[in-house]
DNA sequence: ATGAAAGCGCTAACAA
DNA sequence: TTGTTAGCGCTTTCAT
């Protein structure tokens, strides 16, 4: 057998027809007599022929391919979003590619460029970012370039640099979610709540902090009641920051972690200090990752339907006309109550 | 601006050169005077040109693309393997695509076919399977087809149907890992250990069960001492099976969960029965997923360096000559001790 | 109903 | 150094 891929020419020869007929028989969108088709199909199967996607794309305008770009696949939240995109894309017969950037803007740019080269028709960028000028111009460029070649860009959980830009944005209402769970802590009696995991400039986190402050204000607390620790996200950050916090005099009765991974770190730090959750300190998280229920104790958190976010991103992108660019879609969230919150120490 | 992608011809026109010169200037592997190159590069940038990967692949033999196929990205273990593949591929300038099958052989076949069409040069299939005739012929077909077009197939954690087949296999030594952790339980004094999460026919699980039985035998226990519950994997399965087990009289003092997700379910079931780990029952898992440390209590488990498995898969595939097909690589594992194991109740 | 031929965008021989 | 040309594998007119 010849090394290299079997081409349609070989199939045609074996079936005793021209390549044009072979192509028609295989694609099935042209009338071809059943007998001829059968011969061609059989030849193709015998040779184990698969069409060259590149050649086909070159002439036919390309395969339906979507790309999701996340920081890392091992983050439970991102993985769920990617799975949602994957599932929705698969349902529609699209191929889905996922790329990880490790948070490096350069790798993000490279990946987007790659997707442009490959002819992806849908690019989905996931996750909050620090919204600086570099970000704005980068995204404006993606949007413009993708749009020029007829592809769609959707921003998941990150802002469009400019409403006029040809990109869709779909995200959770971070401020509302944060307000709700802060309210929950407040109604459990807590008044000194620290927010752990701020990341100044990051749009998602800033919104959560804003919701936290808003809830405090609504309950009549002065602005100084807010205590935000800007340690960033991730379990190690949460562990470190909480350990630090526990060294001083405890000025708080509850902690609101920026996401569930930070909460995991905080929980661990508290346990290492031989303190109890929720008896000594109450803790809440954000995202409700699949294993939040298995933390010690099971974590009260804000459920952000991540898979639905991914599905919505492709659904919206494929439904909306290009003219709907700039549309902003907000998805709702809700609190899931477990066992990490109790009344403040001595409140009873 | 013209709708659709800008081609090299437009760049050439704008730079006042032929397409060949433009191509040479852009690719950089042919001597082109600096001045000419500068003009071309500038024209390309002004037009925001990106090469059509399909056209390039058609003539140049294709981009370096690797594909990883997993059951689901939301499984922490698979996500880590995928991240390893991704990282190693990126290090070498390869594009990496990840596909999820949901465990459906049909989707697996579709995805492999797609990858053949796209010209992937490396396909990595991850995860244990039930090794039946359908599986064997499916994989034999993948291997043969991929090999015919010069692509590599690597099987991660699943067996090659036949040593002669053109595929590499790299996996963990499941039997050794299971034997070690069972031995750990045994030396803590446990004699009645149930294995939770068998999946008869699944190669990975069967190997773990074999290791478990081997350890029991080594400690002089009779074959009847083994108690395997074939509930399959996943947190819900572990929860359900453990709940069931707890209803009867407790004939065991420890449980060896088939993987950490099963352990998570089992832990939850035990907590719901108001029993304590490790005071009443000891529990161990398998894989050491990132959050195993955050379980209640922190889980003693077998560390399988998942990311390293992914990296090794691409490293080996790219290094070994095609003639090395059929080679079998075994990666080692080790126990990580945390707090879910204690002496058996009443052993003191 | 089928074949011949053009052409998708690009790179690599071959000329000049 | 640069341009001309052929051709990658496929689909799709346009003839027949």
């Amino acid at each position: 057998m010849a090394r290299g891929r079997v081409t349609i020419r070989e199939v045609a020869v074996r079936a005793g027809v021209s390549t044009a007929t072979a192509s028609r028989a295989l694609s099935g969108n042209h009338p071809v007599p059943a007998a001829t088709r059968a011969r061609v199909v059989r030849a193709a199967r015998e040779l184990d022929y698969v069409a060259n996607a590149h050649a086909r794309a070159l002439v036919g305008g390309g395969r339906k391919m979507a790309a999701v770009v996340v920081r890392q696949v091992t983050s439970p939240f991102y993985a769920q979003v990617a799975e949602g995109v994957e599932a929705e894309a698969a349902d529609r017969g699209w191929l889905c590619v996922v790329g990880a950037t490790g948070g490096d803007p350069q790798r993000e740019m490279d990946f987007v460029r790659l997707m442009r080269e490959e002819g992806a028709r849908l690019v989905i960028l996931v996750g909050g970012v620090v919204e600086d000028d570099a970000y704005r111009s980068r995204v404006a460029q993606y949007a413009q370039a993708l749009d020029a070649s007829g592809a769609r860009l959707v921003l998941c959980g990150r802002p469009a640099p400019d409403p006029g830009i040809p990109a869709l944005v779909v995200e959770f209402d971070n401020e509302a979610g944060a307000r709700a769970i802060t309210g929950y802590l407040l109604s459990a009696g807590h008044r000194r709540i620290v927010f752990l995991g701020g990341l100044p400039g990051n749009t998602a986190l800033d919104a959560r902090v804003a919701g936290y402050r808003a809830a405090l204000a609504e309950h009549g607390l002065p602005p100084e009641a807010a205590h935000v620790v800007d340690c960033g996200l991730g379990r190690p950050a949460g562990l470190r920051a909480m350990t630090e916090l526990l060294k001083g005099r405890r000025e708080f009765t509850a902690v609101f972690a920026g996401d569930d991974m930070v909460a995991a770190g905080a929980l661990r730090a508290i346990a290492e200090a031989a303190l109890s959750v929720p008896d000594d300190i109450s803790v809440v998280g954000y995202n409700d990752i699949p294993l939040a229920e298995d933390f010690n104790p099971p974590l009260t958190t804000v459920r952000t339907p991540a898979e639905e976010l991914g599905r919505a991103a492709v659904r919206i992108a494929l439904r909306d006309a290009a003219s709907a660019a700039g549309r902003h879609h907000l998805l709702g969230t809700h609190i899931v109550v477990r066992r990490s919150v109790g009344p403040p120490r001595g409140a009873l």
Side-chain angles (χ1 to χ4, degrees), chain A:
Chain A
M1 168 188 289
R3 201 65 187 176
R5 296 172 58 155
V6 175
T7 71
I8 199 171
R9 171 182 249 102
E10 298 169 53
V11 174
V13 168
R14 178 178 259 254
V17 297
S18 70
T19 58
T21 302
S23 170
R24 288 191 272 250
L26 259 11
S27 71
N29 19 339
H30 279 261
V32 173
T36 311
R37 147 167 300 132
R39 284 216 317 287
V40 174
V41 169
R42 197 156 61 84
R45 200 179 30 237
E46 287 167 357
L47 261 20
D48 199 15
Y49 167 78
V50 290
N52 182 321
H54 300 299
R56 181 178 278 167
L58 196 51
V59 55
R63 173 181 304 286
K64 292 167 176 171
M65 178 164 91
V68 219
V69 185
V70 297
R71 181 180 271 270
Q72 47 177 5
V73 256
T74 43
S75 150
F77 178 74
Y78 289 137
Q80 279 188 287
V81 176
E83 189 155 284
V85 171
E86 223 279 328
E88 187 72 30
D91 285 354
R92 295 159 185 258
W94 283 52
L95 168 63
C96 177
V97 168
V98 359
T101 65
D104 178 2
Q106 185 57 50
R107 277 178 68 187
E108 179 185 285
M109 292 185 68
D110 289 347
F111 195 83
V112 171
R113 183 188 176 91
L114 202 55
M115 290 303 107
R116 282 217 284 149
E117 292 181 3
E118 296 287 339
R121 305 234 278 264
L122 174 56
V123 175
I124 301 175
L125 265 26
V126 186
V129 286
V130 354
E131 190 181 8
D132 54 14
D133 283 347
Y135 168 77
R136 270 185 287 265
S137 72
R138 207 166 72 226
V139 170
Q141 192 220 320
Y142 297 159
Q144 190 273 331
L146 255 6
D147 186 60
S149 56
R152 294 264 160 80
L153 174 66
V154 7
L155 272 9
C156 262
R158 54 169 72 179
D162 177 323
I165 228 134
L168 256 25
V169 358
V170 19
E171 59 182 337
F172 293 117
D173 191 338
N174 277 300
E175 181 167 346
R179 184 153 5 103
I181 201 148
T182 307
Y184 177 76
L185 248 16
L186 255 2
S187 46
H190 296 276
R191 289 298 173 270
R192 291 168 304 160
I193 303 168
V194 6
F195 185 98
L196 200 70
L199 199 50
N202 181 295
T203 53
L205 270 300
D206 283 353
R208 288 175 205 168
V209 169
Y212 156 77
R213 292 188 199 276
L216 259 27
E218 279 167 14
H219 279 248
L221 261 28
E224 312 83 68
H227 180 358
V228 177
V229 176
D230 293 327
C231 64
L233 296 185
R235 188 181 185 284
L239 174 54
R240 208 172 319 119
M242 193 71 218
T243 304
E244 205 55 43
L245 229 40
L246 256 18
K247 279 188 188 152
R249 214 164 66 77
R250 262 207 332 281
E251 304 277 5
F252 56 90
T253 61
V255 0
F256 176 1
D259 78 2
D260 290 349
M261 296 304 283
V262 171
L267 252 18
R268 156 50 50 107
I270 295 171
E272 278 174 5
L275 260 19
S276 155
V277 174
D279 295 342
D280 297 307
I281 303 175
S282 288
V283 174
V284 300
Y286 210 100
N287 279 348
D288 192 24
I289 60 172
L291 292 172
E293 190 177 354
D294 296 297
F295 287 2
N296 180 20
L299 189 68
T300 291
T301 183
V302 177
R303 172 135 182 73
T304 49
E307 184 170 339
E308 180 50 26
L309 178 67
R311 297 196 91 113
V314 354
R315 212 159 35 218
I316 290 167
L318 264 27
R319 168 166 44 90
D320 287 5
S323 65
R327 283 277 284 274
H328 197 122
H329 298 258
L330 265 196
L331 267 45
T333 60
H334 65 267
I335 297 179
V336 358
V337 174
R338 288 197 274 248
R339 310 226 318 274
S340 61
V341 174
R345 193 40 143 192
L348 218 251

